Amino acid sequence: MTDVLAEFTAHRPLLFTVAYEMLGSAADAEDVVQEVWLRWSADDREDVQEPRAYLVRIATRLALNRLRTLARQRESYVGPWLPEPLETVPDVADDVALAESVSTAMLLVLETLGSTERAVFVLREVFDLPYDEIAAAVDRTPDNVRQIARRARAHVAARRPRSEVTAQERTEVLVRFQRAIAEGDLQQLLDVISPDVVLISDGGGKASAARRPILGRDKVLRFLAGVMPADMRVEPVWINGENGLVISEAGAVTAIATAVVEGGVVTALHIVRNPDKLSLPGPVRLTR
């Protein structure tokens, strides 16, 4: 049993990363990982020659089943849905491809894929798994998986943020944005937010949030003024592999924000206010 646990533990961060990228929920990803362990510890492993591929296959199948259930639940979700924020260790940003794949913006793009397309895209484009391994995980032929991968790549390419910014440029813009929010500096906010900014807020029907995306700088600023308390505290935290902000009031977290930066300004804001998604138990180490 010691060897069985050691093998599973070695691959646990990978399994969590796969499940989270497919589900956009840390809680659901953790449930998937626990179920993988139960199956791994109970299975007959005599014929398992590649534990990593075997474990990823189990995680993918479990995540696919849960993704279909979540899709039905999200049909009745109140207002826009955003991924559950995940506090990550800073060095995730060193792996540019991994950091982008878990960013809020990318997870929202992945939400527009079908469940099988999402699994194929994640396993191929993020984790670079061979087509035959992916085929075994999603119960398709390798040729079929290649076709799905091409469609998913084109779909994501048409929707992902187009501008490339360095980590330093992005950090500088977020620092200015954080300072402006914390100080209530309207002029600084005007300077750091694009006139065409889009804000998506997720309250889940349990906290103040807009029921649909807000378009335009003036409307976004009015929304922020309405929901951000005067005595709030704003702290920078690594969220989903990028700079994010945790906003708290009287010691309790009330919002977590991430942003898309293009051309030196914030072009999209994603603010989670649903209290069910505001738990940050500690930095998570993601891997591929």
Side-chain angles (χ1 to χ4, degrees):
M1 181 58 73
T2 300
D3 292 341
V4 172
L5 178 59
E7 190 74 62
F8 175 81
T9 301
H11 296 297
R12 195 183 194 287
L14 169 66
L15 301 176
F16 179 86
T17 307
V18 169
Y20 179 74
E21 292 209 22
M22 287 184 59
L23 301 171
S25 164
D28 286 301
E30 190 60 46
D31 287 345
V32 165
V33 172
Q34 292 302 317
E35 182 64 25
V36 172
W37 161 246
L38 292 176
R39 297 197 181 192
W40 170 250
S41 60
D43 283 352
D44 179 2
R45 295 172 300 280
E46 275 189 26
D47 296 330
V48 177
Q49 298 180 355
E50 298 183 23
R52 181 180 185 271
Y54 183 81
L55 289 166
V56 168
R57 183 163 68 246
I58 297 174
T60 300
R61 289 176 175 174
L62 291 171
L64 275 171
N65 290 338
R66 189 165 292 245
L67 186 60
R68 289 159 185 150
T69 300
L70 291 175
R72 291 191 293 270
Q73 294 175 356
R74 287 170 191 169
E75 289 176 0
S76 59
Y77 196 81
V78 178
W81 176 92
L82 288 173
E84 180 182 350
L86 186 68
E87 184 179 359
T88 51
V89 294
D91 60 9
V92 170
D94 296 337
D95 186 334
V96 177
L98 178 60
E100 182 195 17
S101 72
V102 297
S103 69
T104 303
M106 178 57 76
L107 290 176
L108 285 175
V109 172
L110 295 182
E111 280 291 308
T112 65
L113 292 170
S115 55
T116 300
E117 286 182 315
R118 182 168 184 168
V120 169
F121 181 87
V122 167
L123 295 178
R124 181 62 186 173
E125 298 302 311
V126 181
F127 299 98
D128 197 29
L129 292 189
Y131 287 112
D132 57 342
E133 287 187 21
I134 300 173
V138 299
D139 293 323
R140 301 294 179 93
T141 67
D143 284 344
N144 189 215
V145 166
R146 285 186 176 86
Q147 294 173 2
I148 294 171
R150 281 196 295 270
R151 290 199 304 269
R153 258 193 312 270
H155 181 97
V156 171
R159 290 162 177 79
R160 74 198 317 164
R162 307 221 177 245
S163 177
E164 296 289 338
V165 296
T166 67
Q168 181 177 348
E169 290 169 338
R170 193 175 186 288
T171 298
E172 290 173 354
V173 172
L174 266 295
V175 166
R176 290 166 54 205
F177 179 74
Q178 175 195 352
R179 186 183 303 119
I181 287 286
E183 298 175 358
D185 188 327
L186 178 59
Q187 185 56 55
Q188 197 172 170
L189 276 173
L190 289 171
D191 293 340
V192 78
I193 295 179
S194 166
D196 302 319
V197 67
V198 178
L199 181 146
I200 300 175
S201 57
D202 176 351
K206 300 179 180 181
S208 297
R211 294 295 181 93
R212 56 181 59 85
I214 300 175
L215 309 178
R217 184 167 54 196
D218 291 343
K219 292 180 180 179
V220 166
L221 291 178
R222 284 199 296 271
F223 173 81
L224 292 176
V227 299
M228 299 301 179
D231 58 346
M232 67 183 175
R233 181 174 180 176
V234 183
E235 298 176 278
V237 178
W238 283 96
I239 299 292
N240 290 69
E242 59 188 9
N243 307 88
L245 301 176
V246 172
I247 300 163
S248 56
E249 180 182 6
V253 176
T254 57
I256 297 174
T258 56
V260 175
V261 173
E262 299 174 272
V265 292
V266 173
T267 58
L269 272 171
H270 303 120
I271 301 179
V272 175
R273 292 180 54 79
N274 184 340
D276 295 341
K277 298 182 179 183
L278 297 180
S279 174
L280 293 175
V284 175
R285 182 172 296 280
L286 303 176
T287 185
R288 62 188 182 120

